[in-house]
Amino acid sequence: MKIYFKIILISFAMLFSASLKAQHKIGLVIHGGAGNISRENLGPEAEKAYRHKLQEALQAGWNILENGGSSIDAVTEAIQILEESPLFNAGRGAVLTHDGKNELDASVMNGRTGQAGAVAGVSTIKSPILAAKAVMENSPHVMLSGRGVEQFAKEQGLEIVDSSYFFDKRRLEQLKKFRKTEEDRKKEEGSLQYIPGNPLLLNPDQKFGTVGAVALDKDGNLAAGTSTGGMLNKQFGRIGDSPVIGAGTYANNATCAVSATGHGEFFIRNVVAYDISALMEYRNLSVKEASYEVIMTKLQKKGGEGGVIAMDRNGNIAMPFNTTGMFRGFIQKNNEPQVSVFP
Ligand code: ASP
């Protein structure tokens, strides 16, 4: 009798632990860029369109997580939807370089394996985030750039498009406006000095529209990804923080997953995404404390504008930004997508 009782008890314990495992919290956070965004300069129609697209991306990534998919797949799915929308500075509708071209950067990182993939300066790969994922999964490298990555993408069977696919007229207007201001200042001041952090590199409405996502899947694995057109009027093959692992993107199951948006030069110099993880690892800070310390204190002191989304392995999230707004949203168990733009 006693032995039967023991068997029943053990079976119950096994069932209980299995159900606990299956119930691992899942979560998804996304952003569509930080910047000088106010209700007045955005307008109600545009705000509605942004909110709608962010919700769509959240829902698509969430469906993957809910059906047992991986955090990597959820992150890349959500980002792909934002890349396809001309609203954001990623994929279609990305900002233009000084020469009027689109040069796109993206990266992704798997918090379980510590593997990462990135592409920089691409102009014919339809989805830079999928190319970054292919680099991570199917190449011995972490970061590929320029023509080489386009060759690699073809071999991987990724969709290749004419570079005009990314072009958006509004971006041309934006570039013209920017170049005009630049010319006017050159006339006034003689020459323009590009010093680190010079706001001249910022676009006229100072809106970074990079997109990113972080996710936690049912197996407790974190992932992060970021995709961007970089910064308006960038020159000489400039690469920002978005494809730089540790600066614009980072994921580690032991700490957190991070995706950044903002003035890339500052994010690179301050290794922002990794710094948040390091503060959690070495100083035992929570994801909220670590990300607020980096964005609101360390980065702000140096004049670096932008924000991050971050999530820890328990699904706790943080979305600090030191600009007036950041397009962002999250979705967690039993919740509808929550989207916001302003503080
Ligand atoms: N961080 C990006 C870059 O510097 C810009 C952005 O967030 O929109 O390339």
Side-chain angles (χ1 to χ4, degrees):
M1 195 63 188
K2 244 183 177 176
I3 189 95
Y4 283 124
F5 186 65
K6 254 191 186 164
I7 290 172
I8 291 170
L9 217 65
I10 289 170
S11 320
F12 266 122
M14 279 168 70
L15 265 174
F16 184 64
S17 77
S19 74
L20 267 188
K21 217 172 167 192
Q23 275 170 17
H24 206 293
K25 200 170 176 179
I26 57 176
L28 176 66
V29 190
I30 63 173
H31 71 79
N36 175 23
I37 314 161
S38 66
R39 280 212 167 77
E40 300 75 62
N41 68 22
L42 188 61
E45 279 308 304
E47 185 179 338
K48 210 167 132 195
Y50 276 103
R51 285 177 176 276
H52 185 76
K53 212 20 115 181
L54 289 169
Q55 277 166 356
E56 183 189 330
L58 278 169
Q59 199 58 61
W62 181 253
N63 291 347
I64 289 179
L65 293 172
E66 255 202 335
N67 290 320
S70 73
S71 49
I72 283 288
D73 286 343
V75 158
T76 50
E77 178 69 20
I79 290 179
Q80 243 186 296
I81 288 176
L82 301 176
E83 282 179 338
E84 279 174 17
S85 162
L87 289 174
F88 303 93
N89 172 21
R92 202 153 75 89
V95 296
L96 296 171
T97 64
H98 188 75
D99 303 326
K101 298 198 175 103
N102 290 112
E103 290 175 4
L104 313 164
D105 307 328
S107 69
V108 70
M109 186 160 184
N110 182 330
R112 180 178 68 82
T113 60
Q115 286 175 329
V119 297
V122 302
S123 52
T124 61
I125 300 171
K126 187 177 180 198
S127 172
I129 196 67
L130 285 189
K133 182 171 179 258
V135 172
M136 175 174 78
E137 291 175 349
N138 305 327
S139 92
H141 306 299
V142 171
M143 192 191 282
L144 302 182
S145 71
R147 255 194 257 153
V149 58
E150 292 175 355
Q151 175 66 33
F152 171 77
K154 266 186 213 153
E155 286 176 21
Q156 290 292 310
L158 295 177
E159 194 170 345
I160 304 294
V161 291
D162 189 87
S163 55
S164 60
Y165 165 80
F166 300 107
F167 180 81
D168 187 290
K169 240 174 86 198
R170 286 176 313 133
R171 296 299 192 187
L172 186 60
E173 295 311 313
Q174 204 180 35
L175 180 68
K176 279 186 186 156
K177 195 166 141 197
F178 185 96
R179 297 276 305 265
K180 166 107 181 37
T181 321
E182 202 179 39
E183 285 308 313
D184 291 349
R185 286 198 59 179
K186 253 186 210 161
K187 270 184 217 146
E188 263 172 45
E189 296 168 25
S191 70
L192 287 180
Q193 297 243 320
Y194 284 96
I195 51 167
N198 188 333
L200 277 174
L201 200 65
L202 297 178
N203 70 39
D205 28 77
Q206 296 197 355
K207 187 146 63 61
F208 313 99
T210 288
V211 306
V214 296
L216 176 66
D217 63 30
K218 69 160 197 346
D219 299 321
N221 293 322
L222 288 166
T226 311
S227 182
T228 190
M231 286 175 70
L232 179 72
N233 197 42
K234 62 184 183 180
Q235 291 189 73
F236 314 121
R238 178 262 188 194
I239 306 290
D241 60 312
S242 307
V244 179
I245 297 301
T249 302
Y250 192 71
N252 178 352
N253 270 7
T255 53
C256 62
V258 181
S259 169
T261 168
H263 196 159
E265 280 66 12
F266 287 84
F267 283 71
I268 295 175
R269 286 194 295 259
N270 294 285
V271 204
V272 164
Y274 179 72
D275 197 23
I276 293 171
S277 167
L279 284 173
M280 292 177 70
E281 189 171 354
Y282 304 137
R283 272 186 36 206
N284 248 327
L285 299 193
S286 69
V287 67
K288 205 162 209 162
E289 290 165 340
S291 51
Y292 274 78
E293 165 132 5
V294 171
I295 297 299
M296 309 308 278
T297 307
K298 295 175 85 171
L299 199 65
Q300 189 144 17
K301 262 190 204 152
K302 296 192 169 150
E305 293 192 323
V308 293
I309 51 168
M311 177 151 50
D312 72 12
R313 60 182 166 189
N314 298 315
N316 298 308
I317 66 172
M319 305 184 288
F321 52 96
N322 62 29
T323 48
T324 57
M326 179 166 85
F327 297 106
R328 63 200 187 279
F330 64 91
I331 179 164
Q332 282 169 320
K333 197 134 194 80
N334 303 329
N335 279 348
E336 289 285 299
Q338 306 284 322
V339 167
S340 20
V341 183
F342 307 105

